Amino acid sequence: MPRRRNRGIPKATDAPPPAPKEQVGLLVTDELEEALTDCKQKVERISKTCRAANRKFRDSEFDLENDPASCLFGLEVDANEVPPDVRRVSQIFENPKFFADRPSSSDIKQGGLGDCWFLSALATMSTSPGLIEKLCVARDEEVGIYGFIFFRDNHWETVIIDDQLFWSIPKFEELKSEEQKLYHFDKDIYNSIARKGGKGLHFARSGTAGETWVPLIEKAYAKLHGDYASLDGGLMSEAIEDLTGGVSVIFNTGDILDPNRFWNDVLLQANDNTHLFGVGFNSLDEMRSGNSAATVQGLFGAHAYSILRVKECHGKRFIVLRNPWGQSEWTGRWSDGSKEWTGEWLQVLKELDHEMGDDGEFVMEYSDFLEVWETVERATIFDASWVMSSHWLCVPPKPLVHAWGYGEAVFYFTLPKASTAVIVLSLLDDRYFRGLEGIVKHNLEFAVYKRDTREWKGESVSAEFWHRSVSCQLELEAGDYAVYPRIDRSEYKETGEFDDKVKSWSKHKLSRVLTERTQSRSIAASTFALPI
C-alpha cells in the first residue's frame, strides 16, 4: 500500500535584510539537533564501554565477519559472490585516517558494486566546502566506531557502524602453491605487499593512501538500507536527498527550449554550492550493435557522472565532469590530450582547475554536453533559513482499472507571508524492501491551487516516470493552498511471483526486512487526508 509525502519548504521574502549567507548543509528540521545529540551519545557510550573492556567495537546488527550474507545480499543470496575475507581498517592501513585532507572527488574510487549513483553524489557534494564533513557526526577511530545520520522518509535516522570492511585478497593459506611461489612461499612478504592498502577493498575506496571515509560512508548507507545489494542501481539526486535532506529534480536535455537560458539559469548554479548536479544517458542497445563494450566516445550508458564545475572561458562554455570509477573518460573534443588543447587554450586548464590524466575527470564543451547526455539531475540543498513542514498519508490503492485523475488524496497548507516554496510529493523509501514491492509501480504527479480562488498555481515537473519523488518550486503569496496528487499505476510483475520465491529466501533476512517495513509503514497517518 503506497504512502505519499507532501513537503513544503517556505522561505520568507519580505523579511529584513539577511545576515551573511549561511553555509548550506543538513536540512534543519525539528529533530535534527536531537538526532545529532543521540548519535554523539551513542558513539560516546559504546566507545567508553569498549575501552573499559579493552576491545574494538563489533556491530552485531551489521557484522560482516559473522553474518556476511545478510550484510551483502537482500532476500536473494548468491553464495558465489561472497568476498574472500573481512578486515578491520587498522589491519588494512598502516596509519588510517578518516579524512587525510579536505574531501575531494579524486578521493572516490568505485569498487565491485553498482552504486556509481551514490559515489557520484559524494563526488558532487565534495564541491561544496564542509558538506561531506557533516555526514559523520561522531567517531572513535581507535575503537573502530562511526556514527552517521541520514535523511530517510522525512526524518533524520542514526546509523552506527564498526570498521570491518569486505576484502578481496585471500589469505596466504588460501593461495594455490604456484601463487605462493610468486612470494617465495613467504607469508610475511605476501601480507606486506598484497594484504595492505586500500586497493584490496572489495567495494569503494579512497584514491588517497590511508583514507577511510569513502568505504565507511558507503557501508553506513548500505546498513541504512539493509545490505550492500540494495545499493545496486539508483539516482545520484536521490542519494543527495538521503545525505543532506535536499530536494531533487531531473531535466531531460531533449526538452530544453532555450540552451542559453538553461546554461544561465540552471547549470551555472553548479558553482554556488547550493545546487549539486549529475548526468547520464540510457544503456546502449547491445543486441543491435553486437558490441557489449560500446560507449559514446568513452562514456558509458546507465552510469552516473558528476558535474564538478561549470565555467565560460574565452567565449566557450565548459563543464568539468567525473566518472566515479576514477578512470575511463570522455574521448571527444576537449578530452584529455585532444587536439583542441593547444596554444592559449592550455591556459584555460588552470581556470577550469583541471589536470590531464586518467583519473576519471574530464572536460566537455556545452554543445557536446547537450548532444551526449539525456538527463541532468539537480539536487537543491538548504541552509538554516528554510522551514520544513510535512505530513505522511496512507492512501488505499484503487483497482488497476480505475478512473484516472487528480484528487486521490489532498494536502492543505497555509503560508502566513509571501514565500518561495519547494513542494515535494514522495513515496516511502522502499530500497530496503526489494523483493516485497508488489506487482505494481507508481508514477507521481501533483497540482497546486489557491483554495479561496481555486486558481491554479503550478504543478510537478518530471523528465522521467516511476521516480521516488516529484517536486516544484513556486513563488506564492500569503494564503491557503491545496495540493492534489495524481497516482498512476503500472503492472511490472506477475502475480504469484512472491509465493514462488519466498521458499528460497533466508528466513533470517526476511524477518529483518519485514520488521523494517512494518516500522517504516507506521509513520504514515491512518486517516485518508488531513491538513498540514
Side-chain angles (χ1 to χ4, degrees):
M1 189 179 300
R3 273 77 172 171
R4 325 286 177 220
R5 178 178 76 207
N6 172 267
R7 188 160 91 213
I9 310 178
K11 184 175 182 180
T13 59
D14 57 353
K21 183 175 176 60
E22 290 194 48
Q23 193 175 50
V24 294
L26 307 182
L27 177 65
V28 177
T29 65
D30 290 341
E31 82 281 0
L32 175 59
E33 285 302 320
E34 181 180 341
L36 292 171
T37 300
D38 176 66
C39 185
K40 291 175 184 176
Q41 289 178 346
K42 283 183 178 178
V43 170
E44 183 179 353
R45 173 177 54 80
I46 294 172
S47 174
K48 184 177 180 180
T49 301
C50 288
R51 288 182 177 277
N54 192 31
R55 62 177 174 84
K56 289 181 176 287
F57 172 57
R58 179 178 291 271
D59 179 14
S60 61
E61 296 178 350
F62 204 69
D63 193 330
L64 274 57
E65 187 172 40
N66 291 320
D67 194 12
S70 291
C71 299
L72 279 168
F73 307 112
L75 297 171
E76 301 283 346
V77 175
D78 186 351
N80 296 321
E81 294 296 324
V82 177
D85 201 2
V86 173
R87 308 196 82 196
R88 286 189 176 272
V89 162
S90 57
Q91 296 172 309
I92 298 171
F93 301 105
E94 294 289 348
N95 184 30
K97 294 181 180 179
F98 192 71
F99 292 123
D101 202 349
R102 191 182 80 78
S104 72
S105 61
S106 61
D107 293 336
I108 301 165
K109 309 289 184 182
Q110 187 176 356
L113 187 64
D115 63 346
C116 59
W117 56 283
F118 174 69
L119 300 177
S120 286
L122 294 180
T124 307
M125 289 171 61
S126 72
T127 64
S128 182
L131 187 55
I132 290 285
E133 290 88 334
K134 297 178 186 294
L135 300 180
C136 185
V137 176
R139 61 185 182 269
D140 184 331
E141 297 177 58
E142 188 176 15
V143 170
I145 180 172
Y146 299 80
F148 300 83
I149 61 171
F150 298 99
F151 195 74
R152 182 179 179 220
D153 292 338
N154 212 35
H155 70 280
W156 288 105
E157 187 167 332
T158 297
V159 174
I160 306 293
I161 61 167
D162 61 28
D163 67 350
Q164 295 183 97
L165 295 169
F166 282 115
W167 185 252
S168 60
I169 309 298
K171 298 175 182 176
F172 181 77
E173 292 77 11
E174 295 171 335
L175 298 179
K176 297 177 182 178
S177 178
E178 55 267 29
E179 293 173 326
Q180 292 182 348
K181 184 178 179 180
L182 296 173
Y183 298 91
H184 307 288
F185 298 100
D186 190 316
K187 181 177 179 178
D188 290 337
I189 294 177
Y190 174 74
N191 285 342
S192 65
I193 296 176
R195 300 264 292 175
K196 288 290 185 181
K199 290 186 177 181
L201 289 171
H202 189 69
F203 295 127
R205 62 182 175 88
S206 174
T208 301
E211 195 170 52
T212 64
W213 69 270
V214 175
L216 290 173
I217 288 176
E218 180 187 53
K219 179 182 179 179
Y221 196 61
K223 180 180 177 180
L224 175 74
H225 293 104
D227 44 68
Y228 281 94
S230 67
L231 306 189
D232 188 19
L235 295 172
M236 184 213 76
S237 52
E238 285 189 2
I240 293 176
E241 288 182 345
D242 297 342
L243 294 166
T244 67
V247 172
S248 66
V249 65
I250 297 178
F251 304 92
N252 191 306
T253 55
D255 295 341
I256 297 172
L257 178 63
D258 184 342
N260 290 327
R261 183 177 169 188
F262 188 77
W263 172 270
N264 292 317
D265 294 353
V266 178
L267 280 184
L268 285 179
Q269 293 176 333
N271 301 323
D272 66 10
N273 295 328
T274 62
H275 297 87
L276 306 176
F277 289 82
V279 292
F281 59 85
N282 291 327
S283 297
L284 299 174
D285 190 342
E286 298 178 8
M287 296 292 292
R288 184 175 181 84
S289 67
N291 181 9
S292 61
T295 67
V296 177
Q297 293 177 278
L299 302 177
F300 292 83
H303 185 52
Y305 293 78
S306 306
I307 294 180
L308 303 181
R309 293 174 291 282
V310 176
K311 194 162 187 179
E312 187 166 343
C313 304
H314 303 304
K316 289 188 178 292
R317 293 169 170 176
F318 293 107
I319 300 99
V320 183
L321 301 100
R322 187 176 187 277
N323 184 343
W325 293 348
Q327 58 186 13
S328 299
E329 303 173 1
W330 163 250
T331 59
R333 294 189 307 157
W334 301 103
S335 60
D336 290 0
S338 70
K339 62 183 178 61
E340 286 78 18
W341 294 111
T342 59
E344 64 175 341
W345 291 108
L346 287 173
Q347 304 304 314
V348 171
L349 290 171
K350 187 174 182 180
E351 293 185 53
L352 295 174
D353 192 21
H354 176 68
E355 296 181 358
M356 295 188 186
D358 189 18
D359 57 0
E361 186 174 306
F362 56 92
V363 177
M364 296 182 75
E365 194 176 351
Y366 186 40
S367 57
D368 292 325
F369 177 92
L370 294 177
E371 175 68 25
V372 170
W373 304 112
E374 294 177 356
T375 57
V376 178
E377 300 177 56
R378 182 189 69 186
T380 302
I381 49 180
F382 303 100
D383 60 30
S385 67
W386 289 78
V387 178
M388 187 186 78
S389 176
S390 64
H391 187 70
W392 282 101
L393 290 180
C394 177
V395 180
K398 291 185 177 181
L400 288 175
V401 179
H402 69 283
W404 187 43
Y406 291 99
E408 296 190 25
V410 60
F411 300 91
Y412 301 113
F413 67 94
T414 299
L415 291 179
K417 60 181 69 175
S419 302
T420 299
V422 177
I423 302 172
V424 184
L425 180 68
S426 175
L427 297 163
L428 282 175
D429 180 0
D430 62 357
R431 187 172 289 275
Y432 202 120
F433 320 128
R434 286 184 173 178
L436 301 179
E437 304 96 334
I439 66 171
V440 298
K441 54 185 178 180
H442 302 85
N443 189 55
L444 306 180
E445 299 175 90
F446 66 81
V448 182
Y449 288 84
K450 202 162 189 298
R451 293 186 69 186
D452 53 354
T453 62
R454 297 188 179 180
E455 177 187 1
W456 178 89
K457 286 295 184 180
E459 62 186 6
S460 58
V461 178
S462 179
E464 297 180 349
F465 284 2
W466 322 119
H467 288 166
R468 186 175 71 185
S469 66
V470 292
S471 63
C472 71
Q473 180 170 318
L474 302 171
E475 300 296 329
L476 300 175
E477 63 267 26
D480 299 323
Y481 295 89
V483 180
Y484 294 96
R486 181 164 68 178
I487 305 165
D488 191 15
R489 301 176 179 85
S490 177
E491 292 180 272
Y492 76 113
K493 285 186 177 182
E494 294 183 6
T495 57
E497 185 178 6
F498 176 89
D499 295 331
D500 295 336
K501 288 185 175 182
V502 71
K503 297 175 184 178
S504 64
W505 288 344
S506 164
K507 305 305 181 289
H508 167 66
K509 181 70 175 187
L510 181 58
S511 297
R512 291 191 180 189
V513 173
L514 290 174
T515 299
E516 186 72 18
R517 187 177 68 166
T518 299
Q519 293 174 346
S520 186
R521 283 179 166 179
S522 69
I523 70 172
S526 58
T527 52
F528 182 74
L530 289 174
I532 61 172

